[in-house]
Amino acid sequence: MMDFTQALAAKGQPDRTFEALARLVQDTIGAKLFTTMVIDRDRNVARRNFTNMPEAYPVSGEKPRNKDRWADIVEGQHETFVANSIEEIAAVFPDHELIRSLGCESCINVPVTIDGQVIGTLNCLHEAGHYTPERAEAANALKLPGAVAFLLHEKYNGGA
């Protein structure tokens, strides 16, 4: 299995890099469900550009950008959002029933920031209580590989 750097150099971009990013996420903090969302400010939506569960969360799915607690933390403060119960998830995500049906009751959303602006998020979901403070701290190591994946996506897909 190739590591992130090898995946970056491989043909088949940006897919190979996103797949390597998913393995890196799994090795670093764990995730049953892993997606990435790129922010499209022109259309005021976040669009999925990678998923490890395409049946439940297909690539190119979109969500409107809301002005809520999650947006304040992730887009406003550029901080990682953690919810360790389905109740906390339900308070900010309307798709909480689907999330729970996939065996996930905790999430961590890691903002990827370039040039002072959040360009997207790494979204990791797992069993209740999974995202401990130690895992949240470890998630910071995913920001640079996430930025590389997002920049490759932009290069190969002509923008957001």
Side-chain angles (χ1 to χ4, degrees), residues 27-151:
D27 292 345
T28 305
I29 62 171
K32 284 186 174 188
L33 170 61
F34 173 62
T35 69
T36 62
M37 303 282 287
V38 63
I39 295 172
D40 182 339
R41 285 179 174 74
D42 292 338
R43 295 184 48 239
N44 203 32
V45 298
R47 185 174 49 259
R48 197 171 302 107
N49 58 355
F50 179 83
T51 179
N52 71 342
M53 289 190 186
E55 304 81 28
Y57 284 97
V59 168
S60 78
E62 293 183 346
K63 290 183 177 185
R65 291 174 60 223
N66 298 317
K67 293 189 184 281
D68 57 15
R69 184 166 128 332
W70 183 94
D72 289 343
I73 293 167
V74 175
E75 289 191 56
Q77 300 170 36
H78 301 190
E79 296 291 330
T80 297
F81 175 85
V82 179
N84 269 309
S85 70
I86 197 64
E87 294 79 15
E88 291 174 284
I89 290 173
V92 291
F93 297 124
D95 56 341
H96 60 91
E97 290 178 8
L98 175 57
I99 290 169
R100 188 177 211 173
S101 77
L102 298 171
C104 299
E105 294 192 23
S106 68
C107 76
I108 187 168
N109 304 115
V110 180
V112 174
T113 305
I114 296 177
D115 197 26
Q117 191 169 58
V118 175
I119 62 164
T121 57
L122 309 178
N123 311 304
C124 311
L125 294 96
H126 214 298
E127 298 162 353
H130 182 77
Y131 294 109
T132 63
E134 294 78 18
R135 285 188 175 115
E137 180 63 30
N140 287 323
L142 301 169
K143 291 178 178 182
L144 180 57
V148 171
F150 279 115
L151 290 171

